[in-house]
Amino acid sequence: MKALFLIEAKTFRRLGHAQHDPAEYVPKEMRAYWEARDPIALYEKYLTGEKLLDAKGKKEMEDKIGGLLAKEREVCGKSPMPPAELAEAGVYCTGEDCHKIRAKWERPIAEVTPPKSSVAAVWTVPGFGSGKDSGGVNAPIHLGIRRQL
């Protein structure tokens, strides 16, 4: 029998949209709220507290991951740039022509998808809080709330 696990890690993008973006538009209180709930930091604290991770093990893991990332960066750096005419390809969904790959569901979809959230947004940020969904209807923007669209 297979064991199935669902790990829900509600988190927050702590950096800006790009390297040049310091994300100064994020209220300090919001940043502090989410930094205190960072699932990676909390899990590391748990593993350390349970004596499942120590400084040596953490360093070994970080070194291994750093080495893997360095190899990937090298491959990317040596790869040729794609032709300029493809720069826009695959950026925007244009309907059926971009949906050729379909999920293979091994269980009923209803069994593995959550119900729609009825929880209001956690944060209200002046000038940021609603928008249009793909059907053109007003849709609240939920920060920190998982929501099935």
Side-chain angles (χ1 to χ4, degrees), residues 111-131:
E111 186 180 319
V112 295
T113 53
K116 292 186 177 184
S117 174
S118 61
V119 179
V122 174
W123 295 99
T124 303
V125 180
F128 186 79
S130 65

Side-chain angles (χ1 to χ4, degrees), residues 130-140 147:
S130 65
K132 302 281 185 193
D133 67 12
S134 60
V137 179
N138 282 334
R147 186 169 165 251

Side-chain angles (χ1 to χ4, degrees), residues 74-140:
E74 185 178 342
V75 168
C76 290
K78 290 180 178 179
S79 297
M81 291 293 286
E85 58 271 12
L86 295 180
E88 228 181 333
V91 176
Y92 301 102
C93 174
T94 55
E96 281 300 313
D97 59 328
C98 72
H99 292 107
K100 292 193 180 5
I101 299 174
R102 299 282 182 222
K104 178 185 171 195
W105 295 96
E106 295 184 11
R107 293 170 34 202
I109 294 174
E111 186 180 319
V112 295
T113 53
K116 292 186 177 184
S117 174
S118 61
V119 179
V122 174
W123 295 99
T124 303
V125 180
F128 186 79
S130 65
K132 302 281 185 193
D133 67 12
S134 60
V137 179
N138 282 334

Side-chain angles (χ1 to χ4, degrees), residues 1-143:
M1 184 162 117
K2 292 182 182 178
L4 299 174
F5 297 92
L6 170 65
I7 297 174
E8 180 180 28
K10 294 181 180 182
T11 188
F12 177 77
R13 181 178 38 80
R14 292 168 57 184
L15 301 175
H17 291 276
Q19 289 180 343
H20 66 274
D21 180 3
E24 293 171 346
Y25 44 81
V26 177
K28 290 179 182 164
E29 300 83 19
M30 184 188 294
R31 181 178 303 281
Y33 175 88
W34 284 105
E35 284 179 353
R37 288 156 182 78
D38 183 316
I40 295 172
L42 291 174
Y43 191 55
E44 183 180 332
K45 183 178 177 181
Y46 168 79
L47 292 174
T48 303
E50 293 293 315
K51 304 205 181 324
L52 298 170
L53 180 69
D54 59 13
K56 180 184 175 195
K58 181 181 175 189
K59 174 140 179 40
E60 288 173 0
M61 193 179 335
E62 288 173 344
D63 290 347
K64 182 177 180 179
I65 292 168
L68 292 169
L69 291 173
K71 286 180 187 175
E72 293 299 321
R73 280 191 297 271
E74 185 178 342
V75 168
C76 290
K78 290 180 178 179
S79 297
M81 291 293 286
E85 58 271 12
L86 295 180
E88 228 181 333
V91 176
Y92 301 102
C93 174
T94 55
E96 281 300 313
D97 59 328
C98 72
H99 292 107
K100 292 193 180 5
I101 299 174
R102 299 282 182 222
K104 178 185 171 195
W105 295 96
E106 295 184 11
R107 293 170 34 202
I109 294 174
E111 186 180 319
V112 295
T113 53
K116 292 186 177 184
S117 174
S118 61
V119 179
V122 174
W123 295 99
T124 303
V125 180
F128 186 79
S130 65
K132 302 281 185 193
D133 67 12
S134 60
V137 179
N138 282 334
I141 294 174
H142 292 260
L143 301 174

